């Protein structure tokens, strides 16, 4: 089992990643209610303040996942989150996900945040694989993942219904071996 109880701060050129703080709640709520985030993650905004407060207030206590706030270094503002969760002992893998709210989009912040977390996981832990899924109507995210050496491993057909249309999820993986080939 991979133990991620020790939460870390990761610093890049344009962002830094850190554990969530109570002051982040209004900004992460704004991100989670952003219509584009809801669409691209297949989520709904059917949560209340107390649920949000409890969820983000307990992220420090989770040994089996890592949830970090994405902070724009230029403004000091939270613009999103990166998460690894769903540990699979059979192949020593975890699922990766990211969301970037409106204030952080189209500036490479998500790409850097993704790279920072991948670097940390493969350099500082024994994790063997990262997996993710991205909806086929999100080519921007898929491009970022491919640039960071994730490979397509399959398609989950009709994974989501959006505006009466069925949408596929593209399944991707990045192995430790492929990461170190860079």
């Amino acid at each position: 089992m991979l133990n991620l109880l020790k939460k870390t701060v990761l610093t890049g050129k344009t962002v830094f990643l850190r554990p969530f703080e109570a002051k982040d709640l209004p900004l992460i709520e704004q991100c989670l209610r952003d219509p584009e985030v809801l669409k691209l993650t297949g989520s709904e905004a059917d949560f209340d303040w107390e649920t949000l407060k409890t969820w983000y207030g307990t992220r420090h206590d989770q040994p089996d996942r890592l949830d970090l706030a994405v902070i724009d270094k230029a403004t000091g503002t939270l613009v999103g989150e990166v998460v690894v969760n769903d540990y699979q002992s059979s192949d020593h893998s975890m699922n990766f996900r990211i969301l970037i709210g409106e204030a952080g989009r189209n500036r490479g912040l998500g790409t850097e945040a993704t790279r920072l977390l991948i670097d940390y996981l493969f350099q500082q832990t024994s994790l063997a694989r990262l997996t993710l899924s991205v909806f086929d109507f999100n080519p921007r995210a898929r491009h970022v993942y491919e640039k960071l050496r994730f490979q397509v491993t399959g398609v989950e057909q009709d994974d989501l219904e959006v505006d009466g249309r069925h949408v596929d999820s593209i399944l991707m993986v990045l192995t430790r071996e492929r990461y170190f080939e860079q």
Side-chain angles (χ1 to χ4, degrees):
M1 175 74 174
L2 190 65
N3 187 338
L4 294 172
L5 191 56
K6 180 184 176 216
K7 307 308 178 190
T8 189
V9 174
L10 305 171
T11 303
K13 292 179 182 177
T14 60
V15 298
F16 66 93
L17 311 179
R18 63 157 170 75
F20 281 91
E21 300 172 359
K23 69 179 183 180
D24 296 329
L25 288 177
L27 291 174
I28 194 63
E29 180 183 29
Q30 186 178 354
C31 290
L32 293 169
R33 293 190 188 280
D34 177 333
E36 186 168 346
V37 166
L38 292 171
K39 178 184 176 187
L40 295 177
T41 61
S43 302
E44 296 179 7
D46 61 349
F47 54 85
D48 61 33
W49 181 257
E50 286 304 313
T51 301
L52 190 74
K53 184 177 169 184
T54 300
W55 176 259
Y56 285 96
T58 60
R59 299 306 83 204
H60 301 296
D61 305 326
Q62 309 300 315
D64 60 342
R65 59 185 294 139
L66 184 59
D67 301 71
L68 297 173
V70 178
I71 308 298
D72 179 348
K73 285 177 74 174
T75 64
T77 304
L78 180 144
V79 295
E81 71 177 351
V82 290
V83 176
V84 287
N85 63 358
D86 195 22
Y87 177 74
Q88 299 296 315
S89 60
S90 60
D91 61 0
H92 201 44
S93 71
M94 293 188 84
N95 181 68
F96 170 82
R97 65 179 175 79
I98 184 171
L99 67 83
I100 300 293
E102 184 177 6
R105 284 198 284 269
N106 301 317
R107 297 188 289 132
L109 304 181
T111 301
E112 186 177 44
T114 301
R115 182 177 284 120
L116 282 170
L117 188 55
I118 291 170
D119 287 349
Y120 171 76
L121 291 167
F122 285 138
Q123 293 176 12
Q124 303 298 319
T125 77
S126 61
L127 192 67
R129 300 163 51 99
L130 280 172
T131 62
L132 62 83
S133 65
V134 59
F135 293 120
D136 67 0
F137 59 67
N138 192 354
R140 180 176 61 187
R142 183 172 171 184
H143 172 75
V144 168
Y145 300 139
E146 289 173 341
K147 183 168 63 171
L148 296 174
R149 303 184 53 106
F150 278 86
Q151 293 179 296
V152 174
T153 58
V155 175
E156 193 170 327
Q157 294 185 333
D158 301 333
D159 188 37
L160 179 71
E161 187 177 329
V162 177
D163 301 327
R165 185 179 138 232
H166 291 287
V167 178
D168 296 343
S169 283
I170 310 300
L171 307 175
M172 304 182 83
V173 67
L174 176 61
T175 63
R176 171 178 286 278
E177 293 79 19
R178 186 162 172 84
Y179 168 82
F180 283 111
E181 287 174 1
Q182 296 182 22

